[in-house]
Amino acid sequence: MPKQPMYQQIAEDLRKKIDTGQYAQGSQLPTELDLRGEYGASRNTVRDAIKRLTGLGLIETRPGQGTFVTLQVEPFVTVLTGDPRSGDGGDEGASYLSQVSAEHRTPFETLPRVTVQTSHEGITRRLRVPPDMQVVSRHQERFIDSVPWSLQTSFYPFDFITRGATRLLMPEDIAGGTVKYLAETIGLVQVGYRDWVTVRSPDENEQQFFRISHDATVFEIFRTAFDQHKTPMRVTVTVFPTDRNQFIVNVGDELPAPQYGDDGFHPA
């Protein structure tokens, strides 16, 4: 049997070290110069080995930081559909917390970071308000089992505040969720929502928060919620890294719950 090329030998040796935990998940590999010295190889040979492992999804290169062992995370399955009146599937945080807890995993989300701003066209267009109208922004970072899972920002028309929904300005969780709160305070009943799902490259902030490389991809979901008058009442933008998220959309009434395989995250 012909001998493997040098770069394949290096890649295989590094792969074994990753599999055995010598290079733990999330840890940094030796520099290119150190690898050249360790294996007595040229720069191009080491780079070819790195490319091979990158193609296998075992490592990732972060510009200005180095090369790291990829964090292998069990994907979290999110059911996008739910009862909009109760908030399940339609609220900014309640559905996430209940779904994660149901899978016996540990959820955590930061307190909202609240700002009042003149938002960009993509938000005002979905809210169907004038482009110069101010909105309330509530931004949160969300984790599962201490792993960064999503970034979420909800936008509300500022006139909700003048109508009495002042807690939207508070950097705190709203007990029962905003769907229930808006119904109780200003009489807006959420009757439905529309999800617009896109895939794009992460920006610099997302790369750092999710610990992903610049050439990774993220889902971006724009959820527009509608009140009983079919008027947009909220736009929630959630960014999910594609390496740790999967989604289910149910169509029809009273469908059976998903059945998961032995690996725990391939529903049927």
Side-chain angles (χ1 to χ4, degrees):
M1 179 179 294
K3 189 176 181 180
Q4 284 185 323
M6 185 63 175
Y7 81 91
Q8 289 187 13
Q9 295 179 46
I10 296 172
E12 180 63 19
D13 187 60
L14 290 173
R15 185 190 65 78
K16 289 178 179 177
K17 292 178 178 178
I18 292 172
D19 288 345
T20 59
Q22 183 173 340
Y23 294 136
Q25 292 186 26
S27 66
Q28 186 172 4
L29 289 184
T31 65
E32 179 184 295
L33 184 61
D34 288 339
L35 290 174
R36 287 171 58 187
E38 179 179 350
Y39 292 102
S42 68
R43 179 177 63 179
N44 287 340
T45 297
V46 168
R47 289 185 174 179
D48 285 344
I50 295 298
K51 287 180 182 178
R52 181 174 178 83
L53 293 175
T54 301
L56 293 173
L58 296 176
I59 62 174
E60 60 186 14
T61 299
R62 303 174 192 168
Q65 299 181 51
T67 302
F68 295 80
V69 179
T70 304
L71 190 65
Q72 301 297 324
V73 183
E74 178 182 330
F76 174 63
V77 181
T78 300
V79 179
L80 294 179
T81 44
D83 181 358
R85 294 178 185 270
S86 70
D88 284 347
D91 210 340
E92 63 182 37
S95 176
Y96 152 77
L97 293 172
S98 61
Q99 286 186 53
V100 177
S101 299
E103 293 190 13
H104 306 291
R105 302 173 74 172
T106 305
F108 170 76
E109 56 186 8
T110 60
L111 290 176
R113 185 170 72 245
V114 181
T115 60
V116 176
Q117 59 185 263
T118 301
S119 192
H120 59 78
E121 181 188 3
I123 299 301
T124 57
R125 185 175 68 250
R126 288 180 168 88
L127 283 175
R128 302 181 188 179
V129 297
D132 58 347
M133 178 175 285
Q134 288 188 316
V135 298
V136 177
S137 165
R138 293 171 60 86
H139 175 78
Q140 291 180 283
E141 298 174 345
R142 305 194 299 179
F143 302 78
I144 298 176
D145 300 334
S146 300
V147 176
W149 224 268
S150 66
L151 291 170
Q152 180 173 268
T153 309
S154 291
F155 300 89
Y156 302 85
F158 188 78
D159 68 356
F160 285 10
I161 307 302
T162 59
R163 291 165 61 183
T166 55
R167 290 190 62 191
L168 291 178
L169 287 175
M170 300 296 102
E172 61 185 18
D173 291 326
I174 297 176
T178 57
V179 170
K180 180 180 178 182
Y181 174 67
L182 292 174
E184 292 175 344
T185 55
I186 59 177
L188 291 182
V189 178
Q190 180 174 289
V191 298
Y193 54 86
R194 174 182 295 126
D195 285 342
W196 188 298
V197 184
T198 64
V199 176
R200 60 170 174 80
S201 299
D203 62 28
E204 185 174 345
N205 176 64
E206 292 159 354
Q207 292 172 39
Q208 293 178 356
F209 176 70
F210 294 121
R211 300 195 291 271
I212 56 178
S213 64
H214 69 285
D215 56 355
T217 54
V218 295
F219 295 108
E220 186 172 41
I221 300 182
F222 293 84
R223 170 163 291 181
T224 305
F226 296 87
D227 65 21
Q228 68 268 38
H229 309 295
K230 303 299 174 67
T231 300
M233 57 186 288
R234 182 188 78 245
V235 173
T236 297
V237 183
T238 311
V239 178
F240 301 89
T242 58
D243 67 341
R244 65 201 72 169
N245 285 283
Q246 299 175 1
F247 302 102
I248 292 176
V249 176
N250 292 313
V251 179
D253 296 331
E254 299 181 0
L255 299 180
Q259 298 295 310
Y260 295 85
D262 293 338
D263 54 12
F265 56 90
H266 287 105

